[in-house]
Amino acid sequence: MNHPSEITGATLLIDALAAQGVDTVFCVPGESYLAAMDALYDYRDQIKLVVCRHEGSATFMAEAHAKATGRPGICFVTRAPGATQASIGLHTAHQDSTPLILFVGQVGLDFMGREAFQEVDYRQMFQPVAKWVAEISDPARVPEMVNRAFHEALSGRRGPVVLALPENVLSGEVGETVRIAKPANPPQVAPSAQDLGKLLALLGQAQRPLVILGGSGWNSKAVEDMGAFLRQAGLPVVCSFRRQDLFDNSDEQYVGVLGLGADPALHNAVKTSDLLVLLGARMGEVPSFGYTLIDSPQPQQLLVHAMPCARELGRVYRPDLAMLSTMPELAHALAQLPLPPNLKTRWKPWVQVLRQGFESFSTPKLSTQHPASTDQGMVDMGAIWKVLSKDLPDDVIITNGAGNYTAWAHRFHRYKTFGSQLAPTSGAMGYGLPAAIGGQLAHPQRPVLCLAGDGCFMMSSHEMATAVKLKLPIVTVVFDNQMYGTIRMHQEKWFPERVYGTALDNPDFVALGRAYGAHAQAVHSAEELVAAILVGFKADGPTLLHVRTDPEQISPGGSITSIREKAKPTTTARQALAP
């Protein structure tokens, strides 16, 4: 690029990002990094600057963009207030193992240690939720630090990195030429021939094997290679929480997802399996059902665990075979393995039983609780997913935040295409709309559908202004039951009939959407909803669809009344035992 006569820390910073192939930057502007904003001006035709309305949303967008592209998401925020608000995106990237680089403005080096205006020690602040946190103290070292940030974010178990940018480092001049690094070249680790041989031997002895796919670092070729191996071997395939797009859910070998509200029969299959093969999956609290499906530290099942990070192998469960490998290299190696022809035949009955259980569990059913609710303009969630699960395009990208409304999508939708699920394993509310923006920018030719509860949507509804400005044809469906549904469900479970603090008074969502400049309408049936979604995918900007749902229909597995009635005897007994 053609710079002014002086080379500064800021110009070196943006030069380094461009050299890494960065094409999109998310931010909320701040005076603490104005020099970097000015340097971005010189790259305005090469790097798209997405200006957001809240730092938490900006990091969500960057995190989702990283998931959708496989490259580190890039986000700039200003010092303390901006940095603290951005922390939710860092935590999400940490738990989701997503490569993300957060650049934070910082007070000048000459002001540090005095508690200057908005001064924070970011090393202490972000250390628990970032792979590496550093502060650049010399403009000449900017290219070095940026190079390391990309390698840290992409190596081993992927994750977020934070670089603090003191103002006088950004504005400081560099008197000598500093070479900019080429794009990051993180290590790609292939499994050893010995480990592949051991895996084949274990498979050869197994009667009830189960493969669980999860984690990050996958790409389309890796998913294709892994699918080829799994289909050739005839193995039953489970996906981990919010990783359902790693294997075609319509395939006869797909048998379910280990997420919130998972099929009890699938839990039992994990427990009774004689060989678990975890590929990329950490098996944290949610997929392991509170660490109950696999005994820690010594599992009852034979355990094969493959991860790109040695620290994760044996961290919770002792594996019988620990395979250190990145997922593309592992998938490629497995796809080349010569397999005994009898394996697929041997496991076929086991796979068929598991698949039949999945088919039954994942078929939407209409509610019988309050059929009269349709007279009040409410739409049955089961009816919605009977339609959506069959009528949405195969390549649709579905985003969501957190809340009970997500249970219907995770249970009933068949994810068929890699990269079609952008959802936070961290359980962060407000993720869906920013993620839809990040996903649409990454894949402008693919339809993008954001699912949001009324509580979840209101945590980032301001980003509808960003979607309107960018003219993105994302469709957001707001499922409105006028409460924080997940919390109400647990409230009824543990404190039945003592409803407090979970009801919501919502705005007119259609008027709100139109005020932002989006297409917006209320829908009153499942058929009307899917028709409006398909129209929205072809619109000239974002669409907001408002759906009233029955508060009684709290989850696919139960109503508020049934949860309350089940909890009453337990609560009464607990009260009787109280002193």
Side-chain angles (χ1 to χ4, degrees), residues 309-476:
C309 177
R311 293 179 61 187
E312 296 295 332
L313 297 170
R315 179 180 180 184
V316 180
Y317 312 106
R318 176 209 171 267
D320 294 276
L321 173 58
M323 303 177 72
L324 182 65
S325 179
T326 42
M327 293 303 104
E329 282 61 39
L330 175 64
H332 178 74
L334 290 176
Q336 311 307 310
L337 276 183
L339 298 174
N342 66 324
L343 289 183
K344 195 166 188 174
T345 305
R346 184 204 307 174
W347 298 326
K348 191 171 183 178
W350 165 244
V351 174
Q352 287 177 333
V353 168
L354 295 178
R355 178 68 186 185
Q356 288 168 4
F358 164 73
E359 293 278 3
S360 176
F361 187 73
S362 63
T363 300
K365 299 176 179 61
L366 298 181
S367 172
T368 58
Q369 298 296 327
H370 282 68
S373 63
T374 54
D375 299 332
Q376 303 165 25
M378 298 179 186
V379 186
D380 183 273
M381 289 291 280
I384 287 172
W385 284 101
K386 273 184 175 292
V387 176
L388 288 185
S389 60
K390 65 182 180 66
D391 288 349
L392 289 175
D394 285 355
D395 65 341
V396 64
I397 297 173
I398 297 181
T399 75
N400 61 259
N404 268 28
Y405 70 92
T406 67
W408 274 270
H410 297 344
R411 179 166 170 176
F412 300 128
H413 183 66
R414 306 285 173 90
Y415 295 85
K416 301 182 179 72
T417 309
F418 173 66
S420 60
Q421 185 177 35
L422 295 178
T425 64
S426 67
M429 292 184 72
Y431 180 88
L433 179 55
I437 294 172
Q440 186 76 84
L441 290 170
H443 297 292
Q445 303 307 316
R446 291 180 65 175
V448 177
L449 175 63
C450 166
L451 306 177
D454 46 343
C456 192
F457 175 72
M458 289 301 292
M459 292 193 180
S460 57
S461 61
H462 45 268
E463 298 304 338
M464 189 62 73
T466 306
V468 168
K469 180 179 180 181
L470 296 171
K471 298 180 180 179
L472 300 178
I474 60 177
V475 178
T476 299

Side-chain angles (χ1 to χ4, degrees), residues 273-287:
S273 168
D274 59 358
L275 175 63
L276 288 179
V277 183
L278 309 185
L279 304 180
R282 289 193 302 114
M283 285 300 284
E285 178 187 352
V286 172

Side-chain angles (χ1 to χ4, degrees), residues 12-191:
L12 286 174
L13 172 62
I14 307 307
D15 285 351
L17 293 183
Q20 291 290 340
V22 171
D23 58 14
T24 307
V25 168
F26 301 90
C27 80
V28 174
E31 69 273 19
S32 62
Y33 68 92
L34 271 178
M37 295 279 290
D38 182 69
L40 277 166
Y41 180 84
D42 290 332
Y43 282 91
R44 60 193 179 278
D45 296 328
Q46 180 178 341
I47 299 176
K48 187 178 188 66
L49 183 65
V50 180
V51 179
C52 311
R53 298 306 182 98
H54 189 278
E55 289 86 357
S57 297
T59 49
F60 278 156
M61 289 183 206
E63 195 272 351
H65 193 268
K67 277 196 180 100
T69 63
R71 305 190 306 269
I74 306 298
C75 186
F76 280 77
V77 299
T78 196
R79 53 200 185 201
T84 53
Q85 295 193 135
S87 62
I88 186 172
L90 279 178
H91 179 260
T92 300
H94 172 64
Q95 290 223 318
D96 285 52
S97 303
T98 305
L100 173 72
I101 302 176
L102 179 67
F103 294 97
V104 183
Q106 176 61 298
V107 303
L109 295 171
D110 50 340
F111 284 6
M112 286 186 183
R114 299 175 174 178
E115 196 183 345
F117 179 62
Q118 298 181 342
E119 180 186 2
V120 171
D121 184 337
Y122 297 113
R123 292 185 185 90
Q124 292 191 53
M125 179 177 175
F126 289 132
Q127 184 273 328
V129 292
K131 289 186 69 178
W132 180 52
V133 186
E135 196 163 73
I136 305 178
S137 58
D138 180 357
R141 293 189 63 190
V142 167
E144 171 198 336
M145 302 288 268
V146 171
N147 171 66
R148 179 176 172 183
F150 274 82
H151 279 84
E152 290 276 1
L154 289 167
S155 299
R157 178 186 166 188
R158 297 179 166 199
V161 166
V162 180
L163 280 181
L165 309 170
E167 286 185 64
N168 52 356
V169 170
L170 289 176
S171 61
E173 295 184 23
V174 179
E176 58 190 51
T177 301
V178 181
R179 295 191 66 185
I180 303 294
K182 296 177 181 179
N185 186 27
Q188 305 301 310
V189 184

